[in-house]
Amino acid sequence: MDTASRPAGGVPRRARDVELIGELRDSGYRRPPALVRRADGQVLQLTPLLYRVLEAVDGHTDHDGIAARVGRAVGRSVSADDVRTLLGTKLEPLGVLELPDGSQPRHRKAEPLLGLRLRRVITEPSVTRRITAPFARLFHPLVVAAVLVAFAAVSFWVLFEKGLAGATHQAFHQPALLLLVFAVTVVSAGFHEFGHAAAARYGGATPGAMGFGLYLLWPAFYTDVTDSYRLGRAGRLRTDLGGLYFNALVAVAVYGVWWLSGWDALLLVVATQIVQMVRQLAPMVRYDGYHVLADLTGVPDLFHRIKPTLLGLLPHRWGKPESTVLKPWARVVVTAWVLIVVPLLLFSTALLVLAFPRVVGTAWQSAGEQWRSASAALGDGDVALVLVRVLSVAAIALPVLGIGLLLIRLAQRLATRAWKSSDGKPGRRALVVLCGLAVIAGLLWAWWPEPDRYRPIQPGERGTVTDVVPAVASGPGPAAPSPAPQSAPETVTAQTAWPTGTPRPTRDKPVLAMVLEPVGGPADAPTWVFPFDRPEPPGPGDNQALAVNTEDGSVRYKVSFALVWETDGKVDNKNEAYALASCRGCTTVAVAFQVILIVGQADVVVPENIAVAVNHSCVECVTYALASQLVVTLPEDLSPQAKARLEEVWAELSRLAGDIPRLSAQQIQQALQDAKSRILDVLREEGVPLPGATTTPPGTTSTEPTRPPTSSDTPTTTTTPTTTVSSVPETATTTPPPSSSEVPSTTVPSPSSAAPSS
């Protein structure tokens, strides 16, 4: 179109860089809309009449000439006044026409709530067309079939035969490989966009610019494939699925590199590609699955159909023209999508609001742990591990910031629309104000900064909907015990015994109890094959978790919890965790947790906290022992209320014992540390003087009537096929054992616990 001169007489002209795409092929509308793209990239849907009018606006033809051309195109009489009305009231507000003074229109591009923001172009359209041209050949049907077969075979082998345990172990023990996996995953996300562009080019469309932006604060790549609207349904679907096809290509290529190099960590890239593909197929947000559904139905923007679809469900609107614009089959599909997505989005938003404080608390705790680990790695000069930890902090923080940004945007958008809709209507404005105050009150109730409300999520929690809602509804106060798991790997009975002739314990007079675990056969009492004597059985007031494993490929967990009350003036209790293995490809875990409450004055306090992990003639074995001990001196006996609260903490720990096979080493340590904190909180509220927790090595002797609590954690992990023994009274760096989902079987003994209960 010639833009050098403007003919006299008020001849209308299109705005600069307005592109006429044409009628939407294979549309789900009864009257297919025509598409127009503005200079800012916004695509508009026009009725056939408006499209013909805009098509006739060439900068040289006046209103009479436009009316004649449009009349011939639509087959009915159109006057110059009709053209002026359509141009002034319909097309000019859309920003597709020059203004009467010859200036370009200022238009504001629509910004969807879940849209991409802060876009930055990496390649211009001409560059995109040039670099994606070779990749278009990959969409030949024979090549596609071969790649999909290879991808299916690789995925099955990695997920169901090879497994990812070895890859995960290698990646996390070699931070450089983990960085390589991360880098390849990021590059593959950009390669995903190559797939969309190449698919559009293969179908005959012209891909536009490629770049990146922020999707809820998370970096994301994008490709402009608006021109694919010129294609039929098959071409558009090929474009939508082209990115997923290129993910499959990456997975197959990475498998080839693994075959040549033998680096198991690379197999994690195959897993990330599968996860990315599954995520992209979600039709609830503007991922590939959303566009697939839109192109299948021929309805370009499904979110714009939510309000008309919901209103069309009302009986008195069934016959309205706006309720019947879609073809019957398309209307059924879109209605089903709306009825699924709208409740799901509302429900998800409500859960986000209720769970947001717990998410913030958990993210803060996790980010702190990663940051401390990064500081330690920096002190050791391990640059690769520092980068891994920094990336972990970013990965933790970005989703939380994204959730916060989404909620802020949603609140702003709803408030703006509600305020505008009530303009000039006092009654409606008052209702809007009342609703706004109610929402603010609800947010204050859900987010009030009480300590327990922002408590980090505990390892033993399931995180179900019924857990989230009651946790908020209960308001501030002590944390409720985590619900028991629905099922345990194995049911084991235990017998609690007291010495003959002694009274049973009561809440006022607690007595140390011994929990006896049944021995059911050789598997529970394996032959002793280690070059040292078996540990001595626990004495009165001692606690011991002894896990012995001599069965190849098996998993053994031993858990022992004890709460001990001492009043005889001498404290020499032992807390021992022994994880001993002599097999191949096995996992052995022992966890011992002991709380010693000294009532009155103690002349000698020499508690022992011991963790021993041994691999003897073991190949590809993991052994992990954790001994955690808390010793506190009480000036006098506790009140019944304080003892009742301690019982609640202990009941929660008992349920935690059944969840230990599903937890990592760090999660187990954190759960026990949280239990210690809750016990100390109970004692502080009781008025027990606690100057502060300190770590006291075994062997300390004191005659003070009141002393700080002594807390000791001793984790020991052995993963090498050698014999090693460790007994350290302070916290050490640990390596978690594989989760129970990565091992053939799990044996869970019942926890040994002695609690002051009746």
Side-chain angles (χ1 to χ4, degrees):
M1 181 177 65
D2 181 17
T3 59
S5 61
R6 179 180 176 84
V11 174
R13 300 180 62 173
R14 288 183 227 153
R16 186 182 298 116
D17 296 328
V18 169
E19 182 181 357
L20 305 179
I21 297 177
E23 182 182 284
L24 179 64
R25 297 169 57 184
D26 298 320
S27 172
Y29 289 88
R30 294 179 185 272
R31 296 178 61 193
L35 305 180
V36 174
R37 179 165 51 190
R38 293 189 316 214
D40 62 347
Q42 180 70 57
V43 177
L44 308 173
Q45 297 184 48
L46 302 181
T47 64
L49 178 60
L50 287 177
Y51 185 82
R52 293 298 183 185
V53 172
L54 184 61
E55 186 179 39
V57 175
D58 57 7
H60 302 282
T61 307
D62 58 13
H63 296 85
D64 291 322
I66 294 173
R69 293 174 59 179
V70 172
R72 289 193 298 269
V74 301
R76 63 182 183 180
S77 177
V78 178
S79 66
D81 290 336
D82 294 333
V83 171
R84 291 188 180 90
T85 300
L86 294 175
L87 292 175
T89 61
K90 300 293 184 180
L91 293 176
E92 188 172 307
L94 295 177
V96 294
L97 296 176
E98 279 190 357
L99 299 179
D101 61 0
S103 62
Q104 295 298 316
R106 293 183 178 180
H107 32 64
R108 183 178 180 182
K109 187 177 181 180
E111 295 183 352
L113 180 65
L114 297 176
L116 199 65
R117 304 296 181 93
L118 301 178
R119 300 190 181 198
R120 292 294 180 269
V121 174
I122 298 177
T123 64
E124 295 294 338
S126 58
V127 178
T128 301
R129 289 192 291 271
R130 185 168 62 253
I131 62 178
T132 58
F135 295 99
R137 300 185 180 91
L138 294 174
F139 285 90
H140 189 282
L142 294 178
V143 177
V144 171
V147 170
L148 294 182
V149 170
F151 172 70
V154 168
S155 300
F156 181 85
W157 180 80
V158 169
L159 297 179
F160 297 99
E161 293 187 12
K162 172 66 175 178
L164 295 170
T168 304
H169 182 273
Q170 186 183 66
F172 281 91
H173 282 75
Q174 300 183 43
L177 285 179
L178 191 60
L179 287 175
L180 176 62
V181 171
F182 178 81
V184 174
T185 302
V186 172
V187 171
S188 70
F191 194 61
H192 174 97
E193 299 305 319
F194 268 63
H196 292 306
R201 187 175 181 86
Y202 181 83
T206 302
M210 298 177 64
F212 70 93
L214 293 181
Y215 190 81
L216 295 179
L217 288 184
W218 192 261
F221 295 96
Y222 74 90
T223 301
D224 183 0
V225 289
T226 308
D227 199 59
S228 63
Y229 281 124
R230 302 182 188 274
L231 308 177
R233 180 179 289 116
R236 296 198 301 270
L237 290 174
R238 183 191 300 111
T239 302
D240 298 333
L241 297 172
L244 301 180
Y245 173 57
F246 270 42
N247 286 128
L249 281 171
V250 171
V252 173
V254 167
Y255 171 79
V257 176
W258 168 85
W259 187 76
L260 294 174
S261 66
W263 293 345
D264 280 355
L266 291 177
L267 297 179
L268 291 177
V269 177
V270 177
T272 62
Q273 299 308 299
I274 296 173
V275 171
Q276 186 180 43
M277 294 169 73
V278 173
R279 180 179 63 88
Q280 285 286 346
L281 287 173
M284 283 73 72
V285 290
R286 297 175 189 272
Y287 290 153
D288 291 349
Y290 169 87
H291 295 292
V292 167
L293 183 61
D295 287 326
L296 277 173
T297 57
V299 181
D301 197 338
L302 293 171
F303 280 113
H304 284 177
R305 296 300 311 168
I306 289 180
K307 181 178 179 180
T309 300
L310 293 176
L311 292 177
L313 296 176
L314 301 176
H316 68 279
R317 300 182 66 94
W318 286 351
K320 297 290 184 180
E322 59 270 20
S323 300
T324 59
V325 296
L326 297 180
K327 296 175 181 177
W329 70 269
R331 184 181 179 186
V332 170
V333 174
V334 173
T335 301
W337 178 82
V338 170
L339 293 179
I340 293 174
V341 168
V342 171
L344 185 61
L345 290 178
L346 292 176
F347 187 66
S348 301
T349 303
L351 283 183
L352 275 179
V353 172
L354 294 177
F356 190 61
R358 298 293 306 278
V359 172
V360 170
T362 306
W364 181 263
Q365 181 189 61
S366 300
E369 293 174 356
Q370 296 294 334
W371 189 258
R372 288 189 291 271
S373 179
S375 301
L378 183 61
D380 296 337
D382 192 341
V383 178
L385 184 57
V386 171
L387 292 176
V388 170
R389 298 308 181 194
V390 171
L391 289 173
S392 299
V393 172
I396 293 169
L398 283 176
V400 177
L401 295 175
I403 293 173
L405 179 61
L406 173 63
L407 295 177
I408 292 173
R409 280 188 191 169
L410 180 61
Q412 289 178 336
R413 186 161 298 195
L414 292 177
T416 301
R417 289 185 178 179
W419 191 260
K420 289 182 178 179
S421 66
S422 63
D423 192 19
K425 302 175 182 178
R428 181 178 292 183
R429 178 62 57 86
L431 180 61
V432 167
V433 172
L434 288 176
C435 290
L437 292 176
V439 170
I440 293 174
L443 291 176
L444 289 175
W445 168 75
W447 293 352
W448 191 258
E450 294 288 340
D452 185 61
R453 184 154 288 165
Y454 287 83
R455 178 171 56 93
I457 298 172
Q458 305 303 310
E461 297 185 49
R462 294 177 300 169
T464 62
V465 174
T466 54
D467 295 336
V468 173
V469 177
V472 177
S474 62
S482 299
Q486 294 293 335
S487 60
E490 182 178 347
T491 301
V492 181
T493 58
Q495 180 181 4
T496 305
W498 287 268
T500 304
T502 60
R504 285 178 171 268
T506 64
R507 183 168 297 188
D508 297 327
K509 295 183 178 181
V511 178
L512 176 65
M514 180 182 297
V515 176
L516 305 178
E517 298 177 0
V519 178
D524 295 311
T527 303
W528 191 257
V529 296
F530 301 96
F532 49 84
D533 294 336
R534 181 187 292 269
E536 294 292 331
D542 295 340
N543 183 50
Q544 185 183 92
L546 174 61
V548 181
N549 196 354
T550 59
E551 182 180 350
D552 292 347
S554 65
V555 176
R556 289 296 177 106
Y557 283 84
K558 201 75 166 184
V559 182
S560 183
F561 294 164
L563 175 60
V564 182
W565 297 75
E566 291 288 354
T567 59
D568 61 1
K570 181 179 180 181
V571 179
D572 57 356
N573 309 69
K574 293 182 180 180
N575 184 54
E576 302 170 315
Y578 295 97
L580 314 177
S582 179
C583 43
R584 182 182 182 88
C586 60
T587 298
T588 311
V589 178
V591 178
F593 178 64
Q594 184 183 49
V595 178
I596 304 174
L597 301 180
I598 308 171
V599 181
Q601 180 173 336
D603 298 325
V604 178
V605 180
V606 285
E608 295 184 50
N609 192 48
I610 302 171
V612 177
V614 175
N615 282 353
H616 174 62
S617 301
C618 226
V619 180
E620 297 180 353
C621 296
V622 174
T623 58
Y624 176 76
L626 171 63
S628 184
Q629 188 181 53
L630 176 65
V631 182
V632 184
T633 299
L634 309 177
E636 57 185 13
D637 199 7
L638 298 178
S639 66
Q641 294 80 5
K643 291 180 180 178
R645 291 192 58 192
L646 286 180
E647 288 182 12
E648 293 179 2
V649 176
W650 209 255
E652 184 174 349
L653 275 173
S654 298
R655 287 188 286 270
L656 171 66
D659 288 338
I660 279 182
R662 294 182 287 274
L663 304 180
S664 67
Q666 288 86 350
Q667 290 174 323
I668 296 172
Q669 280 189 274
Q670 185 60 49
L672 297 182
Q673 188 61 41
D674 291 341
K676 289 181 181 179
S677 299
R678 292 186 60 190
I679 291 172
L680 294 177
D681 289 341
V682 172
L683 299 180
R684 288 190 184 95
E685 294 179 8
E686 181 73 359
V688 176
L690 300 175
T694 61
T695 301
T696 305
T700 299
T701 304
S702 175
T703 58
E704 297 290 335
T706 303
R707 58 181 54 81
T710 299
S711 177
S712 179
D713 289 326
T714 306
T716 302
T717 302
T718 305
T719 57
T720 56
T722 59
T723 300
T724 60
V725 180
S726 174
S727 176
V728 186
E730 297 181 357
T731 302
T733 303
T734 64
T735 302
S739 65
S740 59
S741 61
E742 300 170 356
V743 293
S745 61
T746 303
T747 301
V748 185
S750 77
S752 299
S753 62
S757 60
S758 58

